[in-house]
Amino acid sequence: MFKRISATYSKRKEIGRRQKYKGSIFVVGIAGVVFILYIKTCNIKSTQWKQVSFIQQKMQEIQEESETSCYKLKWKVQESTIDPLEVVEQEEWYNTDRKLTDSEWEAMTQMILSEARGESFEVQYYIACVVLNRVDSEYFPDTIEGVIYQTDPVQFQGAWDPNWYEPSGSVLEAIQTALEENKTPDDMYYFTSEGWLPKTKAWKQVGGMWFSCQE
């Protein structure tokens, strides 16, 4: 009887071991399925994330392209936009029979502003006429810059002023008027801020300037 009980116990133990083994296999199988599903889920999420990243990158590129295009278009519009007042003003300043180069305009404006910066339009106009009268004279150089920068002796101290002055509307108009309508005597070559120049013929005193002709 003891042997029968022992055999029955062994059989039951074997059955329990087998059931436990089967249970372990089942658990492992379940775990494997879960792991595979997890991997697939991760792959899907990774793929989706890559797709999202790709879409975001493309949207960023499109936005940057759009901003660049808008900037270029804005720049072209700015370049092509011309202020009508600037056109009129430029044509007004240069629409004369006697045209000046940019460097001549610069020399004239700087010399006049240095010599008569605080003076009236009339004084600035007469100084411009002095320069033009000298250009037309056989006694002086025959160019604007030659007259203004003449030395031995220096003719205009303002021509050698190291400062630079912003051209005002008054001085530009004074030069323009002198170019179009010089109503001064042909030999009105001189001006000073210290009274009549010796050995010249007095012509007119305006503001703080004395203008005179060749004696």
Side-chain angles (χ1 to χ4, degrees):
M1 184 176 178
F2 176 77
K3 289 183 178 178
R4 188 179 300 171
I5 292 171
S6 178
T8 304
Y9 176 77
S10 297
K11 190 173 182 181
R12 287 179 179 178
K13 187 176 180 181
E14 180 64 20
I15 291 170
R17 188 181 63 80
R18 288 181 181 179
Q19 287 178 346
K20 185 177 181 181
Y21 177 74
K22 288 181 180 179
S24 299
I25 292 175
F26 178 76
V27 170
V28 171
I30 293 296
V33 171
V34 170
F35 180 75
I36 291 171
L37 290 174
Y38 174 78
I39 294 298
K40 286 186 176 181
T41 303
C42 289
N43 287 338
I44 291 170
K45 286 184 177 179
S46 176
T47 303
Q48 289 176 342
W49 173 251
K50 287 180 181 177
Q51 289 176 347
V52 169
S53 298
F54 176 78
I55 293 170
Q56 287 178 341
Q57 183 181 357
K58 285 296 179 185
M59 288 179 67
Q60 181 69 23
E61 288 175 0
I62 292 170
Q63 184 178 0
E64 288 176 356
E65 252 181 45
S66 175
E67 289 175 354
T68 304
S69 299
C70 288
Y71 176 79
K72 287 181 179 178
L73 179 60
K74 183 180 178 181
W75 180 253
K76 286 182 179 179
V77 169
Q78 287 178 344
E79 283 186 326
S80 62
T81 302
I82 301 174
D83 187 349
L85 294 177
E86 287 183 2
V87 175
V88 172
E89 184 174 330
Q90 186 181 37
E91 289 177 351
E92 181 183 353
W93 292 135
Y94 288 88
N95 188 22
T96 63
D97 293 335
R98 189 173 195 169
K99 297 183 184 297
L100 303 184
T101 65
D102 289 342
S103 61
E104 287 173 337
W105 275 99
E106 179 76 5
M108 284 275 272
T109 55
Q110 292 305 304
M111 186 273 287
I112 293 172
L113 286 171
S114 180
E115 296 278 2
R117 193 165 56 260
E119 295 287 346
S120 65
F121 165 83
E122 188 178 7
V123 169
Q124 294 175 346
Y125 162 74
Y126 285 141
I127 293 176
C129 290
V130 166
V131 174
L132 297 178
N133 288 344
R134 289 193 177 201
V135 172
D136 292 337
S137 171
E138 60 180 334
Y139 303 114
F140 299 94
D142 58 0
T143 65
I144 299 288
E145 291 172 281
V147 165
I148 290 174
Y149 298 116
Q150 185 180 0
T151 56
D152 195 25
V154 171
Q155 299 297 302
F156 305 109
Q157 293 294 334
W160 306 98
D161 187 344
N163 297 310
W164 187 86
Y165 303 99
E166 182 71 30
S168 62
S170 173
V171 72
L172 292 174
E173 187 177 357
I175 296 169
Q176 177 69 21
T177 305
L179 287 167
E180 294 179 343
E181 205 171 355
N182 184 348
K183 294 184 177 181
T184 63
D186 293 342
D187 61 347
M188 197 270 287
Y189 302 140
Y190 310 104
F191 70 91
T192 75
S193 60
E194 300 174 353
W196 303 114
L197 188 66
K199 298 182 180 180
T200 62
K201 184 171 60 179
W203 179 65
K204 185 179 286 190
Q205 188 258 320
V206 183
M209 293 291 177
W210 285 260
F211 296 89
S212 55
C213 302
Q214 188 75 26
E215 191 173 50

